[in-house]
Amino acid sequence: MFWLWRSLVIAAMGLTTMVQAITLSDSDYQRYRQAALDKPQLSYADIEPVLQQHRLNPLFRFSQLGESALGVPVWQIDIGNGPVKVMAWSQMHGDEPTATAALMDLLNVLAADAHSQWRSSWQDKITLRLIPLLNPDGAAANVRVNSMGIDINRDAKALQTPEGRLLMQAARQFKPDFGLNLHDQNRFYAVGDTDKAATISLLAPAFNEAKDIDAARTKAMQLIGDMRDLMQQLLPGHLAKYNDTFSWRSFGDTFAGMGISTVLIESGAHPGDDNRQVARKLNTQLLVMAVNSIADKRYTRQSLDAYQAVPFNRDGGIKDMLISGLGIVVNGHSARVDLALDFDLDGNKLARIRDIGDMSVYGSFHHFDASGLQYQAGREYPLSTNLTLDKAGYLALLAQGYSHFRGEASLLQNNSDLPVVLNPVKLSEGAPQRQRPATFLLADKDGVKLALLNGQLLHLASATVLNPLGS
Ligand SMILES: [Zn+2]
């Protein structure tokens, strides 16, 4: 009788135990944020010490899922023993590291003594499996594809990559109810028609061309509804929805077709945040919320309206830099125009004029109001003998109308701490032109006030770059 009574009590507790939901505030987050991951690219060597540290913790069940084509281990980390299974994987594209850092942060959150009540409130409800850094070879080379040159996220059906096979194997063996597919998106997406950057984009991927909504996709959309509510508190206006076109070869769409409630989380850019630390923090906060929501089925209270209301990404809606209201003259026609500039930060570091005219529908990471200023093509300073530039001498040359140097690089010694343009190819002449280098001068009736030097805007009077690249 006693035993029966006890098991009834335990069963009743099991039914009524609520998840002791935590919300990770910004200051909480700083406590658990893993150090040394604020970098433009992350490889296995960056996360290995973090994994080693957590391997010793009996909370986590580490197992090696397999290895990449070049023999780097891919780990899966399980926590909890509940019937509802949640699987999150990151960086199947090697040059998309943001969520890998977030998974390291999440390990720290999960391991914290302060969160023992939280953990024990959901550990018998869900099993969480984390697979950080699915494509370590691509990560080491800082490229999207794996070492065979194959985009793993177009290999869900062909399964020709070891890494793609590992992910499919994990899905078939673990049989997740929820899949969290973690990526980075390009920095030029705006939120719908707004001028705000899509710092996070979400999607419940379709499983067919018709984009039908079955029970599994409904749950994914409901969970995104909860994520939207959280984003409205944390960073209003910066959440968008990723392109929902069915992609037969991709893992998210394939998993959706296998009945897994799949949520794509895309980390995007934010002004002044080159290493996407804003999106990293939001990822961690969204993942913690997802654990809460899935464990106590809170997401089921969402209608699909919240999901439908999230605006789609607008490709090209954000520019690297906008210079607005600049005066130009072409064949006697005066005009005031906006210039959109693109910075090739990863490749040849060349900043170009991308577009000219009314750019008021776009947002930007850097903006300069050029009202009252006039475009002026810079003169070329020929290098024939050794030239040592100090700050005052260089500023004087710019004020005289020079914008760049031409000649043997070894002749120029730049001691000014200011950017210098040497041997530019195809500069604009009388007026700015598309696709030409972003190097010219801005003047008013008293003379040159600013110099745009390969996209960096130098204010002559204060000798400061207004938009240092890398900020
Ligand atoms: Zn990706």
Side-chain angles (χ1 to χ4, degrees):
M1 194 61 197
F2 168 78
W3 291 106
L4 177 63
W5 176 82
R6 203 179 86 144
S7 56
L8 282 173
V9 169
I10 288 170
M13 284 171 62
L15 285 173
T16 55
T17 301
M18 297 294 290
V19 172
Q20 308 286 309
I22 60 166
T23 48
L24 204 60
S25 70
D26 286 2
S27 58
D28 289 338
Y29 171 75
Q30 295 308 325
R31 213 170 307 150
Y32 302 111
R33 182 176 187 271
Q34 177 61 45
L37 299 181
D38 181 355
K39 298 163 67 173
Q41 71 186 86
L42 293 178
S43 64
Y44 184 70
D46 293 302
I47 66 165
E48 189 179 24
V50 189
L51 297 178
Q52 289 299 341
Q53 175 206 325
H54 287 297
R55 261 190 100 163
L56 305 172
N57 187 336
L59 274 175
F60 299 117
R61 301 188 297 280
F62 272 72
S63 56
Q64 193 174 328
L65 176 59
E67 54 183 43
S68 68
L70 298 184
V72 180
V74 175
W75 295 96
Q76 55 191 7
I77 306 142
D78 291 358
I79 179 168
N81 295 291
V84 178
K85 293 175 181 169
V86 184
M87 186 168 94
W89 60 96
S90 74
Q91 211 170 343
M92 70 162 73
H93 292 138
D95 57 355
E96 300 179 5
T98 304
T100 296
L103 289 182
M104 298 304 105
D105 299 337
L106 181 64
L107 287 173
N108 295 342
V109 172
L110 291 166
D113 286 340
H115 296 150
S116 61
Q117 272 201 323
W118 173 61
R119 281 194 312 266
S120 50
S121 74
W122 56 258
Q123 272 186 327
D124 61 344
K125 298 183 190 312
I126 66 175
T127 306
L128 180 62
R129 170 167 294 185
L130 308 178
I131 305 175
L133 188 45
L134 186 68
N135 179 9
D137 303 342
N142 196 28
V143 294
R144 175 180 177 90
V145 295
N146 81 339
S147 61
M148 305 154 80
I150 299 174
D151 184 340
I152 296 167
N153 206 25
R154 302 293 180 270
D155 193 38
K157 296 295 197 301
L159 293 175
Q160 293 304 297
T161 59
E163 300 86 358
R165 286 195 292 270
L166 292 180
L167 184 58
M168 185 56 79
Q169 175 194 324
R172 292 204 184 284
Q173 289 177 354
F174 186 59
K175 296 186 170 53
D177 299 277
F178 286 86
L180 304 172
N181 185 13
L182 310 176
H183 288 257
D184 279 73
Q185 64 185 2
N186 89 48
R187 67 183 186 277
F188 302 118
Y189 288 126
V191 175
D193 292 334
T194 76
D195 61 2
K196 287 202 161 81
T199 306
I200 295 285
S201 294
L202 302 170
L203 178 72
F207 58 88
N208 62 10
E209 294 283 353
K211 305 178 190 176
D212 288 332
I213 302 173
D214 63 358
R217 192 166 182 228
T218 298
K219 288 182 185 179
M221 289 175 166
Q222 289 175 309
L223 183 62
I224 289 175
D226 275 2
M227 291 177 171
R228 185 197 77 146
D229 292 349
L230 183 61
M231 280 294 293
Q232 282 184 335
Q233 296 169 33
L234 297 174
L235 193 67
H238 286 277
L239 175 68
K241 195 153 53 190
Y242 201 76
N243 182 344
D244 66 351
T245 306
F246 175 58
S247 174
W248 189 75
R249 300 175 295 165
S250 299
F251 270 97
D253 309 59
T254 299
F255 285 172
M258 291 162 61
I260 301 169
S261 298
T262 307
V263 173
L264 170 69
I265 304 180
E266 294 274 357
S267 293
H270 202 68
D273 180 34
D274 284 352
N275 293 342
R276 302 199 176 182
Q277 300 300 294
V278 174
R280 169 186 171 184
K281 178 182 61 138
L282 291 167
N283 263 267
T284 314
Q285 291 167 314
L286 289 168
L287 291 167
V288 166
M289 191 285 297
V291 167
N292 294 329
S293 179
I294 294 170
D296 70 3
K297 298 187 163 43
R298 191 158 47 91
Y299 65 89
T300 57
R301 295 185 294 207
Q302 288 278 358
S303 75
L304 300 191
D305 296 349
Y307 178 81
Q308 307 292 5
V310 178
F312 276 103
N313 275 345
R314 178 166 57 116
D315 196 6
I318 301 290
K319 308 296 181 189
D320 276 328
M321 184 169 189
L322 290 175
I323 295 177
S324 56
L326 182 67
I328 63 169
V329 182
V330 174
N331 194 29
H333 296 278
S334 297
R336 292 238 155 243
V337 298
D338 308 329
L339 301 183
L341 311 182
D342 271 2
F343 304 153
D344 182 355
L345 297 173
D346 308 318
N348 53 19
K349 311 279 182 200
L350 189 69
R352 282 165 302 183
I353 299 168
R354 181 63 81 185
D355 205 354
I356 304 166
D358 179 357
M359 301 291 132
S360 59
V361 297
Y362 299 123
S364 65
F365 299 114
H366 302 281
H367 175 244
F368 180 73
D369 180 356
S371 306
L373 293 165
Q374 200 72 19
Y375 171 90
Q376 181 177 321
R379 293 157 65 197
E380 180 168 291
Y381 191 99
L383 295 169
S384 49
T385 57
N386 283 314
L387 177 66
T388 299
L389 282 182
D390 61 14
K391 193 169 276 185
Y394 182 33
L395 290 168
L397 284 180
L398 294 166
Q400 289 165 39
Y402 294 100
S403 67
H404 58 284
F405 301 86
R406 193 165 304 279
E408 193 61 48
S410 60
L411 294 175
L412 185 66
Q413 175 69 38
N414 178 18
N415 294 342
S416 72
D417 289 329
L418 298 171
V420 159
V421 176
L422 179 67
N423 296 329
V425 178
K426 289 178 95 176
L427 280 186
S428 309
E429 291 174 6
Q433 291 164 58
R434 284 181 174 210
Q435 304 304 335
R436 299 295 177 88
T439 295
F440 57 80
L441 305 173
L442 298 86
D444 66 12
K445 60 180 177 16
D446 302 319
V448 176
K449 292 292 181 271
L450 300 112
L452 185 72
L453 304 167
N454 191 31
Q456 299 180 80
L457 194 58
L458 172 62
H459 183 242
L460 268 52
S462 60
T464 28
V465 174
L466 303 182
N467 61 327
L469 297 190
S471 75

